Amino acid sequence: MEPIDLRSDTLTRPDARMRRAMADAPVGDDVYGEDPTVNALEARVAEMFGHEAGLFCASGSLANMVGVAASVGRGEEVLAESRAHILRSEVGGHGAIAGITSRTWISPDGTLDADAAVALVERPRGYNQVGTALIAVENTHNFSGGRIAAIDQLRALRARADERGVRVHMDGARVANAVVAEGSSFADQGAVVDSLSICLSKGLGAPVGSVLTGSAALIDEARHLRKRYGGGMRQAGILAAAGHDALDRNIDRLADDHAHAAHIVATVARAVPHFADPASVQTNIVMLTPGRAGVSADDYAQAAARRGVRILAMNEEECRLVTHLDVSEEQAHTAARILAELAEQAATA
């Protein structure tokens, strides 16, 4: 059996149509602002979110780095949830490169609580205390299993942050998943933040690239930082063309990925209830908990791999799987059956 790879939705591969779009893209030197395909993509994504400007970046981490640094000075503070991607999975870059400090609130299930976030905001008091410059939210929340930041909580956060003179950044790597699952709009998401990054190379299926959006002034500063960090690109329209194709074709189909994830978690939960929680799956990420059955996550993931299903051990107790456009309905059902069988074996061992 061809392996069913559910480790991440970053594994998607461009199809023939996307590759043709890349090959045929008109290009120019993007550092000089002369790549027409990049310029069109930046304008397109900014308009989607109701923002003035956009910046095409090679990765979501780079988009977050320059987006946050454009709003937070050296030694100033960003607030984020304790398992936020910008703090856990961007190699400490915000502190190491931009000199930004951070504090965190804790959400056990990854749900956004505006009150918990705003309660941490501090104004600088005297010469020796750090002031909060920005609150960062993640939509969807990766390490909590693709939890959606509810739009009502985002609106409450926006209003209270404005009262305190604090900016808001969204790590929207999978914000398209949130829009499709929640029924909000891209404009709704853009209205509640000062800056936002969307990843085109996850469920949307492009091979490379994220776009940062915000005000013209913020993007101008972020463009300067992108170059400083070594992220300036030349004929990047070849990559941006894939982003256009992804936006053309792969937004609405994210609902298929959500349905596949729901089927997998329901199948495993029917087999062994404490192995999976269907209520926790809102989008395309499923967290399984073999540790509750006394089985290490590594052992469970290795057993799944031997059966042809690749998932990721996140820690000693949890495994993550992510559905995406390269996983068909048939493959999702096969993976569900295999993972349920392994859960039953683990629970009775």
Side-chain angles (χ1 to χ4, degrees):
M1 182 181 74
E2 182 76 16
I4 302 169
D5 202 334
L6 299 169
R7 289 172 299 161
S8 177
D9 46 5
T10 61
L11 298 166
T12 58
R13 292 161 295 182
D15 61 13
R17 173 173 161 174
M18 185 175 283
R19 289 173 185 268
R20 284 195 302 272
M22 296 170 71
D24 294 341
V27 297
D29 191 318
D30 182 48
V31 171
Y32 289 109
E34 295 174 356
D35 190 300
T37 309
V38 172
N39 293 344
L41 180 65
E42 291 172 342
R44 176 181 183 176
V45 177
E47 184 178 9
M48 283 169 52
F49 290 105
H51 288 171
E52 290 180 340
L55 180 67
F56 185 50
C57 295
S59 70
S61 293
L62 181 58
N64 284 329
M65 281 283 295
V66 299
V68 170
S71 290
V72 184
R74 296 188 69 85
E76 291 185 323
E77 176 181 79
V78 58
L79 304 178
E81 201 279 322
S82 61
R83 293 175 292 167
H85 190 278
I86 68 165
L87 302 183
R88 286 196 61 191
S89 292
E90 296 180 5
V91 204
H94 297 269
I97 298 173
I100 292 169
T101 66
S102 62
R103 284 186 298 132
T104 61
W105 72 88
I106 296 174
S107 173
D109 65 358
T111 301
L112 175 63
D113 181 346
D115 290 339
V118 175
L120 289 179
V121 172
E122 292 284 356
R123 292 186 174 89
R125 299 179 185 277
Y127 66 87
N128 63 333
Q129 293 193 10
V130 174
T132 304
L134 180 137
I135 299 172
V137 295
E138 187 175 341
N139 200 17
T140 64
H141 194 297
N142 182 7
F143 289 110
S144 70
R147 285 275 188 179
I148 296 168
I151 194 64
D152 61 335
Q153 287 298 310
L154 287 168
R155 288 171 177 148
L157 179 65
R158 167 82 279 168
R160 298 188 63 188
D162 283 345
E163 291 170 358
R164 289 159 176 76
V166 174
R167 288 183 171 182
V168 179
H169 172 77
M170 179 183 290
D171 173 3
R174 295 182 176 91
V175 67
N177 293 88
V179 166
V180 169
E182 185 182 42
S184 59
S185 69
F186 290 105
D188 290 334
Q189 302 292 321
V192 295
V193 295
D194 296 283
S195 56
L196 181 150
S197 64
I198 179 173
C199 187
L200 303 173
S201 63
K202 290 187 170 69
L204 294 176
V208 174
S210 290
V211 178
L212 174 74
T213 67
S215 69
L218 184 145
I219 294 300
D220 186 61
E221 174 63 15
R223 190 178 298 275
H224 177 75
L225 291 168
R226 186 188 68 171
K227 180 63 175 173
R228 175 180 292 169
Y229 295 172
M233 297 182 285
R234 299 302 179 178
Q235 288 71 39
I238 293 171
L239 301 175
H244 281 292
D245 187 66
L247 295 174
D248 289 342
R249 295 194 287 145
N250 291 336
I251 294 175
D252 291 342
R253 63 145 308 280
L254 291 172
D256 296 337
D257 298 341
H258 302 166
H260 296 163
H263 175 77
I264 292 171
V265 71
T267 302
V268 175
R270 280 195 299 270
V272 183
H274 58 269
F275 233 81
D277 178 12
S280 70
V281 176
Q282 297 180 317
T283 52
N284 68 324
I285 302 178
V286 177
M287 302 297 290
L288 302 179
T289 53
R292 293 181 183 176
V295 178
S296 81
D298 282 322
D299 288 346
Y300 183 76
Q302 289 169 14
R306 288 192 292 270
R307 295 284 302 275
V309 178
R310 305 184 74 181
I311 61 176
L312 195 64
M314 301 297 288
N315 50 52
E316 293 183 357
E317 293 196 349
E318 293 180 305
C319 289
R320 187 192 75 172
L321 63 91
V322 188
T323 54
H324 52 81
L325 64 83
D326 284 349
V327 176
S328 68
E329 181 179 10
E330 180 182 1
Q331 289 175 315
H333 284 233
T334 299
R337 175 179 54 79
I338 291 170
L339 293 170
E341 290 172 0
L342 291 172
E344 288 179 324
Q345 293 171 13
T348 57

